């Protein structure tokens, strides 16, 4: 949903949200930036080939890739988008974690990583090239590159708002300055710089979120005080205090249909489409040192992912009752809101609750989150652009050093394009609406194509490409029907419906085309299709450090599912 003319950019320029940082806060920020650039400089020493730059030489331990996997997701999607959702919808936002993330992360680790890592592909589009051929590969390569610069723009916009609030710079200057910071260390050290910075950034982000949540809960009188305030301020308070049926989140009044939309639209199509095929996440697992570490990467990340929901959603809910401006905005009084939107929830909470010193930690945490998110977008964009577009279709058979130089130059290109797309993100009062729309366009049809290609050997190369195109077209059609008020959906229901439509249309078209075409020979599909791949095909000898029972991928996956189930019951 677009905001009125001027949007958030105009709001920030007024200084209404200016954070009054003290010298100690700026000192903490300075230490952080020195560490970030230092890690980039150190990582540069280990970059001797394109594999080192794009995939860290496939040498990272599971705990590093696991934390980087989840930190790469802790960008504007989480910190702005989910706190905004928490402020707007309340507890139903947890569905993006316990229904919309954990099952898919477990599926990725147990089922899909053996195919990705075992086939030694360098990217998700390259897997499509081997399974379907150049048509589907080119379609996915182009769509993924577009999606990453659009999502990088969201993280860049969020980064720029923090710079704007600290220094009072115009938004466009803040956007350029923020992009330069991320570009510096990703260009220096490639994926290794991004991953090791993401590990550090994970702990910085946690150091921001936990104190912020505890201080906020103390101020309102604990959980009971928060629920009492929500009931006093909101006519739909009960919908905001219970996870199910989540009608306020989906915009679907019928409880049964709302649950169906959450479980199928979010929990299956959007979630599996994002977590199992999004190369910005999968790239971290591909950098692991062996198959066991690659499988454990998303499974290790699933545990903090399940728990971090509590320190992201609850701060959003706190901001909606503690900030007079945000409470006024939520009540529909945009004049008293002084121009703030749900996107400002976390900044308002930081402004109102934290003293000097802690303010510096919080500001550093915000910057760490948005830099981690943007670095993930940039590092995956340069890999796909270099390997799957430039090397495959433009300039073939050049030296490894040449493609390493191209990768560094493409990082600059990605940041430059993201500067433009950041202004698209600035036009939304809840950037989660925008992000879920993008996911329905790009991830939902890709998951349908992957699912068919991996589990139905009859799927033909032509079906792979046409399915992707038709699925994306279906999602765009639903989006336009909602925007022009032909379909009447509110909240984030439109993206759930669009994702479901993309999935169904992709499957339907792919099956129809495959039944009239000629599939690839079975011999060419070994290692790419489940039924044709012996269980020991992708097996690798475990390192001595991987043999403990507690490192079993199956055990880790079951534990993550149990944790998500228990949390769902607690907040039912």
């Amino acid at each position: 949903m677009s905001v009125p003319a001027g949007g958030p950019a105009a709001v920030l320029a007024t200084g209404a949200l200016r954070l009054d940082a003290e010298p100690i806060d700026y000192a903490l920020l300075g230490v952080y930036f020195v560490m970030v650039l230092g890690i980039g400089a150190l990582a540069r020493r280990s970059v001797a080939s394109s594999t080192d730059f794009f995939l860290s030489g496939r040498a990272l331990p599971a705990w590093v890739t696991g934390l980087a996997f989840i930190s790469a997701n802790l960008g504007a999607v989480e910190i702005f988008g989910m706190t905004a959702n928490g402020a707007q919808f309340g507890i139903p936002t947890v569905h993006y974690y316990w229904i919309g993330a954990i099952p898919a992360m477990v599926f990725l680790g147990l089922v899909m990583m053996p195919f990705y890592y075992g086939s030694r592909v360098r990217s998700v589009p390259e897997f499509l090239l081997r399974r379907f051929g150049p048509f589907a590969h080119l379609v996915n390569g182009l769509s993924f590159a577009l999606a990453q610069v659009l999502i990088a723009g969201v993280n860049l916009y969020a980064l720029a708002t923090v710079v704007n609030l600290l220094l009072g710079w115009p938004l466009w200057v803040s956007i350029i300055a923020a992009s330069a910071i991320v570009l510096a260390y990703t260009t220096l050290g490639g994926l290794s710089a991004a991953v090791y910075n993401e590990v550090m950034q994970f702990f910085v982000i946690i150091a921001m979120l936990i104190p912020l949540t505890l201080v906020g809960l103390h101020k309102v009188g604990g959980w009971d005080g928060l629920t009492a305030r929500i009931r006093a301020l909101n006519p739909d308070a009960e919908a905001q205090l219970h996870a199910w049926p989540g009608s306020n989140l989906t915009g679907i009044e019928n409880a049964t249909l709302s649950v169906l939309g959450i479980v199928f639209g979010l929990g299956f199509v959007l979630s599996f489409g994002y977590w199992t095929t999004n190369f910005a996440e999968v790239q971290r697992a591909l950098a692991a040192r062996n198959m066991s570490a690659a499988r454990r990467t998303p499974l290790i990340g699933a545990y903090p992912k399940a728990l971090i929901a509590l320190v992201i959603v609850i701060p959003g809910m706190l901001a909606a009752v503690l900030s007079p401006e945000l409470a006024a905005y939520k009540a529909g009084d945009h004049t008293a809101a002084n121009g703030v939107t749900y996107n400002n929830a976390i900044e308002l909470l930081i402004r109102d609750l934290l003293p000097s010193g802690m303010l510096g930690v919080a500001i550093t945490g915000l910057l760490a989150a948005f830099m981690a998110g943007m670095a993930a977008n940039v590092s995956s964009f340069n890999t796909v652009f270099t390997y799957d577009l430039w090397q495959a279709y433009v300039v073939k058979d050049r030296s490894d050093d040449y493609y390493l130089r191209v990768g560094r130059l493409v990082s600059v290109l990605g940041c430059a394009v993201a500067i433009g797309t950041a202004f698209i993100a600035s036009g939304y009062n809840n950037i989660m609406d925008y992000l879920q729309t993008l996911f329905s366009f790009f991830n939902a049809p890709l998951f349908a194509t992957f699912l068919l290609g991996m589990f139905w050997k009859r799927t033909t190369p032509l079906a792979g490409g046409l399915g992707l195109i038709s699925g994306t077209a279906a999602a765009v059609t639903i989006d336009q029907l909602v925007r022009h008020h032909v379909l009447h959906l509110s909240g984030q229901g439109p993206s759930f419906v669009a994702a479901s439509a993309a999935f169904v249309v992709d499957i339907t078209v792919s099956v129809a085309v495959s039944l009239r075409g000629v599939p690839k020979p079975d011999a060419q599909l070994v290692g790419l299709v489940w039924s044709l791949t012996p269980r020991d095909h992708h097996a690798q000898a475990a390192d001595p450090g991987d043999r403990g029972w507690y490192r079993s991928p199956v055990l880790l996956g079951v534990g993550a599912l149990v944790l998500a189930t228990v949390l769902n019951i607690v907040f039912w």
Side-chain angles (χ1 to χ4, degrees):
M1 181 184 299
S2 295
V3 298
V11 172
L12 295 173
T14 67
L17 287 174
R18 185 71 184 271
L19 300 176
D20 296 321
E22 299 293 335
I24 188 173
D25 301 313
Y26 286 106
L28 288 170
L29 201 57
V31 170
Y32 168 72
F33 282 126
V34 169
M35 293 178 67
V36 164
L37 295 175
I39 289 172
L42 290 172
R44 183 183 176 89
R45 298 179 181 179
S46 64
V47 176
S49 68
S50 63
T51 301
D52 293 335
F53 185 78
F54 294 120
L55 291 174
S56 299
R58 297 186 190 264
L60 300 179
W63 73 269
V64 170
T65 55
L67 289 180
F69 184 93
I70 204 63
S71 183
N73 183 247
L74 279 174
V77 176
E78 299 282 328
I79 307 302
F80 266 23
M82 291 303 180
T83 53
N85 259 19
Q88 185 174 359
F89 303 115
I91 287 297
T93 304
V94 299
H95 291 313
Y96 282 102
Y97 298 84
W98 305 333
I99 298 295
I102 304 304
M105 293 170 74
V106 172
F107 183 82
L108 171 63
L110 297 184
V111 178
M112 295 191 72
M113 278 316 302
F115 287 88
Y116 283 144
Y117 197 89
S119 62
R120 307 300 289 179
V121 296
R122 299 168 297 184
S123 68
V124 170
E126 187 176 348
F127 185 87
L128 286 182
L129 175 63
R130 297 189 185 183
R131 174 60 183 88
F132 293 111
F135 179 36
H137 174 245
L138 180 59
V139 170
N140 181 229
L142 291 171
S143 65
F144 178 84
L146 175 61
Q148 289 313 297
V149 294
L150 289 171
I151 298 170
V154 176
N155 283 297
L156 182 54
Y157 166 67
L159 252 177
T161 63
V162 179
V163 175
N164 176 279
L165 296 177
L166 275 173
L167 304 176
W169 294 352
L171 192 67
W172 68 271
V173 176
S174 302
I175 286 174
I176 293 174
S179 67
I181 296 167
V182 176
L183 179 64
Y185 74 81
T186 53
T187 305
L188 278 172
L191 183 62
S192 291
V195 164
Y196 281 111
N197 267 311
E198 284 160 4
V199 172
M200 178 186 70
Q201 287 158 346
F202 173 80
F203 292 105
V204 173
I205 294 164
I206 294 300
M208 169 191 71
L209 292 173
I210 292 178
L212 193 62
T213 305
L214 295 176
V215 171
L217 284 173
H218 176 74
K219 185 163 185 176
V220 298
W223 178 254
D224 289 340
L226 174 59
T227 58
R229 291 202 186 196
I230 290 174
R231 287 190 173 99
L233 291 173
N234 300 281
D236 67 337
E238 295 309 313
Q240 295 187 39
L241 294 173
H242 296 280
W244 299 95
S247 294
N248 62 336
L249 178 69
T250 62
I252 302 171
E253 293 184 6
N254 183 283
T256 301
L257 293 178
S258 178
V259 170
L260 182 63
I262 290 171
V263 173
F264 183 72
L266 172 62
F268 181 60
V269 179
L270 275 172
S271 169
F272 278 68
Y274 177 83
W275 290 102
T276 65
T277 65
N278 182 14
F279 184 55
E281 303 294 336
V282 174
Q283 185 181 29
R284 274 75 193 143
L286 291 180
R289 64 187 179 189
N290 58 28
M291 176 68 79
S292 174
R295 296 184 73 192
R296 283 184 283 129
T297 293
L299 302 176
I300 290 171
Y303 289 87
K305 180 68 176 177
L307 296 172
I308 208 167
L310 300 176
V311 291
I312 289 181
V313 177
I314 292 175
M317 297 168 68
L318 287 165
V321 300
L322 288 174
S323 164
E325 300 102 320
L326 193 56
Y329 180 81
K330 191 170 183 178
D333 185 354
H334 290 194
T335 301
N338 199 22
V340 304
T341 69
Y342 293 117
N343 286 336
N344 303 122
I346 192 76
E347 296 162 336
L348 289 165
L349 206 60
I350 289 172
R351 181 200 67 181
D352 294 340
L353 294 185
L354 298 184
S356 294
M358 280 305 301
L359 181 61
V361 172
I363 293 167
T364 304
L366 281 180
L367 290 173
F370 306 147
M371 288 171 68
M374 186 178 173
N377 301 136
V378 171
S379 60
S380 57
F381 171 79
N382 64 28
T383 302
V384 168
F385 188 96
T386 303
Y387 282 149
D388 296 293
L389 297 176
W390 193 261
Q391 184 182 32
Y393 300 104
V394 182
V395 179
K396 303 178 181 180
D397 303 321
R398 294 290 295 272
S399 68
D400 186 76
D401 184 62
Y402 169 81
Y403 294 113
L404 176 59
R405 293 197 306 273
V406 169
R408 287 199 163 106
L409 289 173
V410 168
S411 297
V412 179
L413 172 66
C415 285
V417 177
I419 290 173
T421 62
F423 289 96
I424 300 176
S426 72
Y428 286 77
N429 60 20
N430 184 340
I431 57 173
M432 185 52 71
D433 295 344
Y434 175 50
L435 286 163
Q436 291 303 317
T437 299
L438 294 180
F439 295 154
S440 71
F441 288 177
F442 299 113
N443 293 98
L446 179 58
F447 174 57
T449 297
F450 258 88
L451 205 62
L452 271 182
M454 192 172 287
F455 294 101
W456 190 40
K457 67 177 184 178
R458 185 74 177 75
T459 313
T460 64
L462 180 61
L466 290 180
L468 286 173
I469 294 171
S470 59
T472 299
V476 172
T477 300
I478 294 295
D479 177 70
Q480 290 302 307
L481 290 175
V482 172
R483 289 178 185 274
H484 291 87
H485 309 292
V486 178
L487 288 178
H488 301 285
L489 294 169
S490 60
Q492 277 148 28
S495 61
F496 297 171
V497 173
S500 301
F503 182 85
V504 171
V505 169
D506 186 310
I507 292 286
T508 303
V509 170
S510 296
V511 169
V513 173
S514 294
L515 291 176
R516 298 176 62 87
V518 178
K520 295 178 77 170
D522 287 0
Q524 296 180 20
L525 299 178
V526 175
L528 302 172
V529 174
W530 181 270
S531 62
L532 299 176
T533 304
R535 297 290 75 85
D536 60 350
H537 182 81
H538 294 316
Q540 290 184 358
D543 290 349
D546 294 331
R547 291 174 184 159
W549 61 267
Y550 52 90
R551 292 189 175 96
S552 163
V554 173
L555 181 63
L556 288 170
V558 171
L561 292 174
V562 169
L563 176 60
T565 302
V566 170
L567 289 168
N568 251 304
I569 293 171
V570 170
F571 288 91
W572 188 276

